[in-house]
Amino acid sequence: MSETPRKRATGGARTARPARRQTELAGATISEFDGVRYLHLGTDWVQGAMRLRKPRALELDYIQRMMAWLLWRPIDRLEPDGGQAVQLGLGAAAITRWTHQVLRWPTRVVELNPSVITACRLWFHLPDDDARLQVIEDDAGAWVQRPEQAGTADALCVDLYDHDAAAPVLDDEAFYAACRDLLVAGDAHTPGGLMTVNLFGRQSSFARSSARIAEAFGADQVWQLAPTPEGNTVVVAGRGVIVPDRETLTARAEAIESRFGLPARKWLRMVRPWTPVV
């Protein structure tokens, strides 16, 4: 499945302005403007972005917020090889590059569209598979339900939209229950696995999707960040995650900012427990 941030180059959530160059790759379209390369799937909606001079940086605001799961993870469990990362939906490989090359965790990513994989390998600095990276061409919905995947992910990022970016492609309780099963179960000695999901759409669509996540994970294991100006809301869900006190969370946020340059203190100000939308 393709990653779709629900951002549009001609007036949606992210304005990319007229592109100077456009290249077609079997369904994937590449555009560039002002030092940023964008991925499209035959429409103006932006599937992902990469700043050419900083390919490992997370360019889009909502993609940065997809890393908010770091706040729920003990700092000493963020070391290289400190966990297993999984992404459903490759997009422009921003999160994949980050977990593989910056966080330096073993990373698996599931993407249905082969043209997206080809575009990322050619144009978005996605490296070949190695001992710590596996790009899997498969249907994410089927992949997460395979028994051998259960309990294998410490961090799961889900961003599954088609070329129209109207609603998540996979968005039912069975899918979110399978995502929960994919995560490592938390206990007194092991931090629980964490999922982040990008939700974009009408208020009713967000209410429906977030309620399904809460049903699968339990309402006390679901949190949400404030929407971006473009309308993307990132939901965080855990499997047996223990939330520390505010002082510990603040120390984690400061450490994340210092180590990775991500605006974690801002995330901490905008996150709140999930509540049903009335």
Side-chain angles (χ1 to χ4, degrees):
M1 299 292 178
S2 63
E3 172 194 22
T4 305
R6 182 62 165 168
K7 299 171 188 292
R8 197 171 185 177
T10 56
R14 168 84 180 187
T15 302
R17 305 182 184 90
R20 290 186 305 219
R21 185 179 72 188
Q22 194 159 297
T23 305
E24 233 174 312
L25 286 169
T29 302
I30 312 304
S31 65
E32 290 181 13
F33 180 80
D34 200 22
V36 178
R37 181 172 291 160
Y38 299 93
L39 175 69
H40 314 269
L41 284 179
T43 71
D44 289 334
W45 295 105
V46 173
Q47 304 287 328
M50 179 186 73
R51 185 161 295 277
L52 297 176
R53 290 185 178 274
K54 297 180 179 180
R56 295 182 180 181
L58 300 176
E59 176 67 18
L60 300 177
D61 185 14
Y62 99 94
I63 288 288
Q64 292 183 10
R65 297 185 190 192
M66 289 286 283
M67 306 310 297
W69 63 267
L70 295 165
L71 287 169
W72 283 262
R73 183 89 175 173
I75 292 298
D76 63 358
R77 298 299 186 101
L78 295 178
E79 298 301 325
D81 297 316
Q84 300 274 341
V86 173
Q87 287 107 50
L88 304 182
L90 177 60
I95 293 175
T96 305
R97 290 190 303 274
W98 198 89
T99 58
H100 177 247
Q101 299 172 348
V102 179
L103 188 59
R104 299 190 63 79
W105 276 16
T107 297
R108 292 174 293 163
V109 55
V110 183
E111 171 57 54
L112 181 66
N113 188 337
S115 72
V116 171
I117 299 172
T118 299
C120 287
R121 288 250 153 89
L122 291 175
W123 297 99
F124 290 93
H125 291 224
L126 177 66
D128 293 334
D129 286 6
D130 59 25
R132 290 189 301 106
L133 176 63
Q134 184 182 18
V135 178
I136 304 158
E137 184 184 327
D138 203 347
D139 182 288
W143 186 86
V144 296
Q145 295 186 53
R146 293 180 184 137
E148 65 269 21
Q149 307 303 342
T152 62
D154 294 279
L156 169 65
C157 296
V158 180
D159 198 2
L160 296 167
Y161 289 77
D162 62 15
H163 63 283
D164 289 327
V169 174
L170 297 173
D171 188 43
D172 58 30
E173 288 177 17
F175 169 69
Y176 291 124
C179 288
R180 182 182 183 276
D181 291 343
L182 181 71
L183 297 176
V184 172
D187 57 32
H189 307 289
T190 305
L194 290 147
M195 174 184 74
T196 53
V197 182
N198 171 44
L199 296 178
F200 184 97
R202 300 179 303 276
Q203 179 80 348
S204 59
S205 175
F206 170 79
R208 182 171 59 248
S209 297
S210 62
R212 289 168 178 166
I213 295 170
E215 180 67 24
F217 281 79
D220 63 335
Q221 287 284 294
V222 180
W223 305 269
Q224 65 189 63
L225 277 68
T228 67
E230 297 81 13
N232 300 80
T233 300
V234 170
V235 173
V236 183
R239 184 178 183 185
V241 170
I242 299 173
V243 181
D245 57 37
R246 189 73 177 186
E247 183 179 354
T248 300
L249 284 171
T250 300
R252 287 182 186 178
E254 291 172 350
I256 292 165
E257 290 201 3
S258 175
R259 184 181 302 181
F260 302 119
L262 295 171
R265 284 180 291 184
K266 179 181 178 181
W267 301 338
L268 196 54
R269 292 194 299 270
M270 66 175 60
V271 70
R272 64 180 186 273
W274 176 81
T275 54
V277 178
V278 180

